[in-house]
Each structure stands twice: as structure tokens, then as C-alpha cells.
């Protein structure tokens, strides 16, 4: 049961989006979100939607997988839409008790839901097509200028790598401890919420103790392999921008900045 | 033979006033040796391992690696590069999410240029027979394979000494065999000096030299044939002898055969005479 948990689920593939330098994907995602938030007309929304649809098509990620990922977020999307329906002032179409529903409200709710859905889908597109290692690596490299402001970028990246490395190990250990406690009569599945939470204590205590012991061992092992912080460190795998990457970046940036400007100025919109 | 590591009257204790973990240890490790360190729990053998690369430094006395005092912090990176140390639990010493990235870890720390890292990582993985697994996730490997990756991680630094603290304690017999085979091949083909803390007598029998520790002191030190022929002394230190030696001695033979072949031959010779 615990084996099903995946963090930042990744679907390996060989599309142009999978192969793209993860830094470019991050930059494009950032620009996409900007364009999306600036959009304020059906036409600009359509443009942004087209861009996203194109990315999904090229990546060969199944739209079904995107919808599946959306499911936990559905509540937030619906909640936001409903709030917008009721709280947008305007000429009421329907009104009952203290509620007024205006045409503006419905319009706004639709756009809001669309905006959130696209925002979440675009983020999923990044994590679906990029392995977590490359993602943390790309983040660290994009943020490396922050190291000059004494922000410990290298340390954060190292922590992320180690966390990713130990998630499967700790999950395995959790399974083992659970089986061991069940063998001694522990019951994790029945009772009310309070009882079940209490039943977790004999699971969490050994897990915590074990995790700290692991951390201690790992620190010593890292020291043995000459780890002394990020200073003077090199990396075996260098991220390389290819001509293909540059072309996609330029095209994507042009499109998105065009959409952003259109959305902001509302040109050609009557 | 060249001396690589030298312990000079080394004393160390973990807490003030407690019994010393090491008590006046003097020991020299020469290039190309395979040394097994034996002893029951609390004999100081793990402490000895941690002294080899300056993880611990002596309270009195000195430990020198290639003439460098381990107390000299400015030489610590050089010392750690000369002495690779591998621990018991393979899960807790693998840092990265991909095998080859983990092997590259030490070289990245040392600031080696990327193309050279690539070469040395591949060479180290080939040396431990794990090259084909270089893109695997460590948690999908068996215990023996993980431990070989950990050995490759130390080996990538191109160390003179490969030190290991009970590297096979958490492995099944198959994994144990894999690791021992790898270590012996590295010694034979690459000339890597091996220091191995163990409590498996059969593994110790495969080494060229056996050091027996008890209560922080070196009690016996010599070739396995000599050490294991002193079964009485070993038993008083809470240690057994390899099964082959026990068999020979049970039969009343005055010899310490170290391999099964040797043992079979000895018994055959002895009893075909009568």
C-alpha cells in the first residue's frame, strides 16, 4: 500500500519535452504562468490553452494521466469557482435569499476554474516529464546566483537529493516495522480516527529513531568521501543546452511574452 | 614493503574515565597487505577502523597515513583520499539516487573535472563488476550489489588503502561471497591494500594477516595459519577458529588448514598413512 506513494510522479519518455534541458522547462513554466495570470479575455485564454495543448500533445503524456493528477485539486477548483459565482457583483440573473448570481459571476467562475486547471496541468507537465534528480539539479543551478546573497543553495539541493534517495528506503522500513508490529498484535486498521492515530505511535517511534541513526551513518560516510560543502565541487553530469533546446526556448518565450502583452494591454479586443 | 599506515602507541576512549577503546596500539600496515582485524564486540576494532582515515584522532600517540599525521586538519582531505572507508550498512552510505552519481560523489567533492570523473567512475564500477548497473536506482539492488557500489564509491578516489568495517555483516551468504571475491580481486589485480574488520573467521582466513584485538589491545598479529593454530588463546578472547581449523584440531592434528581444499588434503594425507 505504501509502495504506491510517488513524489513528483515521473513518466519516462523520449519526446522532445522529456529530452529538454530541465532549466528551460522551468523557465517556460514560469513564463506560462505569467501569461496565464495576465490573460483577461477569451482570446488570450484560448492562446494560452493552445500552448498548453501543444505541449501535452508533443510530450505524448496521456490527458487521462493529467486528469488523474488533477483529482485531489478538484475541490479547490470547484470551491474557487463557486465563491466567484456568488461574490461577483453585477446585474442579478437569479437571486434567492442572500445570494445573487450575475452573468459576470458565471463568466468569472468559468475563467477562474480554467485558469487554475491550466496552472495545475502545466506544473504536472513539468514533473511528469522530468526526473526528480534533474529537477532538483535544475532548480539548484537556476538559483545558484542566490548563493552570493548567502542563501545556502547547495545545501538545499543536497538535502533534496538525499531526501529523494531515502524515500524508498524509509518506505521499505515502514512496511517492515508495520509487519513486525502487526505480528505482535498491533491493529492499524480499525477504530475511530483517534484510535488509529494512537496506533501509529509504535510505528513512528522506531521509524524516527531509525531515521536519525541513518542520518548519522550517512554523515560519517559522506565525510569519508571528502564531502566538505559546496565549495570547489564539480559535477559529473553537466546540463547542456542543445540547438533544439535553444529553438524551443526562443519560440516558447516569444509566444508567451506575446500572449502576456496582449493579455495586459487588451489590444485588438473590441 | 612500504609502510602506508602507522599506529604509534595509540590510546583513545569515547568518554572521560571510561575504559579505553584503544589502549597503546602500535601497528604498521604495509602496501599490498590484506589485514583482517578480529575481536569480539567492544574490543576496539571499529574504533581502530575509524582511526585509519582521521574520523577519530588518538587521545595520545599518533596515527600516520603516508607520513601525514591524522591530527593535521589541513591534510585531512589527502588522508581520506588515500584511505577509503566502507561501512557495515550499505543503505546508509549511498548518497545519490543513481548508482553512477553515487560513485561520482567523492570525485565531485574533490573538484575533479567532469570528463575525468566520468572515466574514473566507469573504471571503478568495472572493477567491482557493477558497470552494467550504473543507471540503476540503488534501492533496487541486492545487499551484495549495494555494498559493491559503496566499495566503488571509495575506489573512485584511487585510494592506496581500502578499509572496511564489517562490510559483510548485513549481507546474506551470496552477498558476502560477492564482496569478498571483489575485495580479493582488487588486492590481487590493483594492488590495493585491504584492512577489513570482521567477525567471520572464514573471511579472516582468506586474508594474508590477522590482527586480534581485545579490550583495546592487539593480542595476536600474524599470518592466519599462525594465529588460528593458537585455538586456546583465541577461545579465551571469546573467538572461535574457522571450521576447517576446528575440524583438524578435533581430529587431533597439529595444523591450521585455512581452506576446505587444504583441510581435505591434510586429512587425506594423515589418515591414508595408517
Amino acid at each position: 500500500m505504501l509502495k504506491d506513494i510517488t513524489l513528483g510522479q515521473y513518466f519516462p519518455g523520449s519526446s522532445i519535452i522529456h529530452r529538454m534541458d530541465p532549466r528551460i522547462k522551468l523557465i517556460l513554466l514560469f513564463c506560462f504562468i505569467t501569461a496565464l495570470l495576465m490573460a483577461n479575455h477569451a482570446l488570450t485564454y484560448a492562446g494560452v490553452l493552445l500552448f498548453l495543448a501543444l505541449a501535452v500533445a508533443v510530450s505524448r503524456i496521456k490527458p487521462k494521466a493529467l486528469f488523474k493528477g488533477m483529482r485531489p485539486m478538484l475541490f479547490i477548483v470547484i470551491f474557487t469557482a463557486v465563491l466567484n459565482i456568488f461574490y461577483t457583483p453585477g446585474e442579478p440573473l437569479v437571486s434567492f435569499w442572500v445570494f445573487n448570481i450575475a452573468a459576470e459571476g458565471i463568466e468569472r467562475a468559468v475563467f477562474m476554474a480554467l485558469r487554475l486547471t491550466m496552472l495545475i496541468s502545466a506544473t504536472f507537465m513539468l514533473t511528469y516529464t522530468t526526473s526528480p534528480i534533474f529537477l532538483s539539479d535544475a532548480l539548484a543551478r537556476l538559483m545558484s546566483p542566490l548563493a552570493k546573497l548567502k542563501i545556502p543553495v547547495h545545501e538545499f539541493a543536497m538535502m533534496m537529493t538525499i531526501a529523494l534517495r531515502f524515500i524508498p528506503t524509509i518506505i521499505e522500513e515502514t512496511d517492515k516495522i508495520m509487519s513486525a508490529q502487526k505480528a505482535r498484535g498491533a491493529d492499524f486498521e480499525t477504530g475511530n480516527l483517534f484510535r488509529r492515530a494512537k496506533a501509529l505511535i509504535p510505528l513512528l517511534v522506531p521509524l524516527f529513531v531509525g531515521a536519525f541513526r541513518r542520518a548519522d551513518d550517512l554523515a560519517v560516510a559522506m565525510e569519508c568521501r571528502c564531502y566538505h560543502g559546496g565549495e570547489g565541487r564539480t559535477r559529473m553530469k553537466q546540463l547542456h543546452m542543445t540547438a533544439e533546446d535553444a529553438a524551443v526556448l526562443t519560440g516558447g518565450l516569444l509566444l508567451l511574452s506575446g500572449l502576456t502583452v496582449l493579455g495586459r494591454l487588451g489590444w485588438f479586443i473590441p | 614493503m612500504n609502510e602506508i599506515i602507522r599506529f604509534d602507541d595509540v590510546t583513545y576512549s569515547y568518554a572521560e574515565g571510561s575504559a579505553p577503546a584503544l589502549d597503546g596500539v602500535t601497528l604498521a600496515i604495509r602496501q599490498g597487505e590484506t589485514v583482517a582485524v578480529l575481536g569480539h564486540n567492544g574490543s576496539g576494532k571499529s574504533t581502530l577502523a575509524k582511526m585509519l582515515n582521521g574520523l577519530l584522532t588518538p587521545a595520545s600517540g599518533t596515527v600516520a597515513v603516508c607520513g601525514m599525521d591524522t591530527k593535521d586538519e589541513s591534510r585531512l582531505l589527502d588522508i581520506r583520499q588515500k584511505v577509503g572507508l566502507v561501512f557495515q550498512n550499505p543503505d546508509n552510505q549511498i548518497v545519490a539516487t543513481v548508482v553512477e552519481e553515487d560513485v561520482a560523489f567523492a570525485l565531485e567533492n574533490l573538484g575533479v573535472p567532469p570528463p575525468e570523473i566520468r572515466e574514473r567512475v566507469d573504471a571503478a564500477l568495472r572493477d567491482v563488476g557493477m558497470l552494467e548497473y550504473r543507471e540503476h536506482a540503488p534501492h533496487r539492488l541486492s545487499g551484495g550489489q549495494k555494498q559493491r557500489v559503496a566499495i566503488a564509491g571509495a575506489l573512485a578516489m584511487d585510494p592506496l588503502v581500502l578499509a572496511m568495517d564489517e562490510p559483510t555483516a548485513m549481507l546474506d551468504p551470496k552477498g558476502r561471497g560477492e564482496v569478498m571475491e571483489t575485495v580479493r580481486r582488487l588486492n590481487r589485480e590493483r594492488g590495493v591494500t585491504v584492512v577489513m574488520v570482521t567477525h567471520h573467521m572464514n573471511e579472516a582466513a582468506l586474508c594474508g594477516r590477522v590482527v586480534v584485538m581485545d579490550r583495546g589491545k592487539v593480542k595476536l598479529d600474524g599470518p592466519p595459519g599462525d594465529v588460528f593454530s593458537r585455538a586456546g588463546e583465541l577461545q579465551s578472547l571469546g573467538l572461535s577458529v574457522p571450521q576447517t581449523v576446528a575440524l583438524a584440531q578435533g581430529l587431533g592434528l597439529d595444523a591450521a588448514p585455512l581452506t576446505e581444499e587444504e583441510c581435505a588434503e591434510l586429512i587425506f594425507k594423515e589418515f591414508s598413512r595408517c
Side-chain angles (χ1 to χ4, degrees), chain A residues 133-134 158 161-162 164-166 168-169 172 210 213-215 217-229 231-238, chain B residues 53 55 77 80-81 85 87 89 91-98 100-112 114 117-118 121 139 153 157:
Chain A
I133 317 156
F134 276 124
M158 185 53 86
T161 311
I162 292 173
L164 286 170
R165 151 76 185 83
F166 276 93
T169 310
E172 213 171 279
R213 188 169 307 139
R214 276 181 203 285
D217 280 1
L218 184 71
V220 174
M222 284 169 75
E223 217 180 311
C224 284
R225 291 207 266 157
C226 303
Y227 182 69
H228 52 117
E231 208 178 314
R233 219 168 171 261
T234 49
R235 298 305 306 268
M236 174 171 70
K237 282 186 190 150
Q238 303 287 314
Chain B
N53 72 346
L55 272 180
L77 284 184
R80 300 230 161 111
Q81 205 182 333
L85 188 51
F87 294 94
N89 189 338
D91 268 328
N92 294 359
Q93 43 187 330
I94 292 177
V95 188
T97 40
V98 183
E100 59 179 5
E101 295 248 359
D102 185 70
V103 177
F105 183 69
L107 300 176
E108 292 180 336
N109 290 334
L110 292 166
V112 176
I117 299 185
R118 181 81 259 174
V121 165
H139 66 98
M157 295 190 290

Side-chain angles (χ1 to χ4, degrees), chain B residues 32 43 76 96 115 123 146 151 164 174 180 197 202-203 223 225 259:
Chain B
S43 60
L76 215 49
K146 279 186 223 174
I151 291 174
M164 292 172 288
K174 185 168 168 282
M180 281 310 290
V197 173
N202 296 338
E203 288 171 4
T259 63

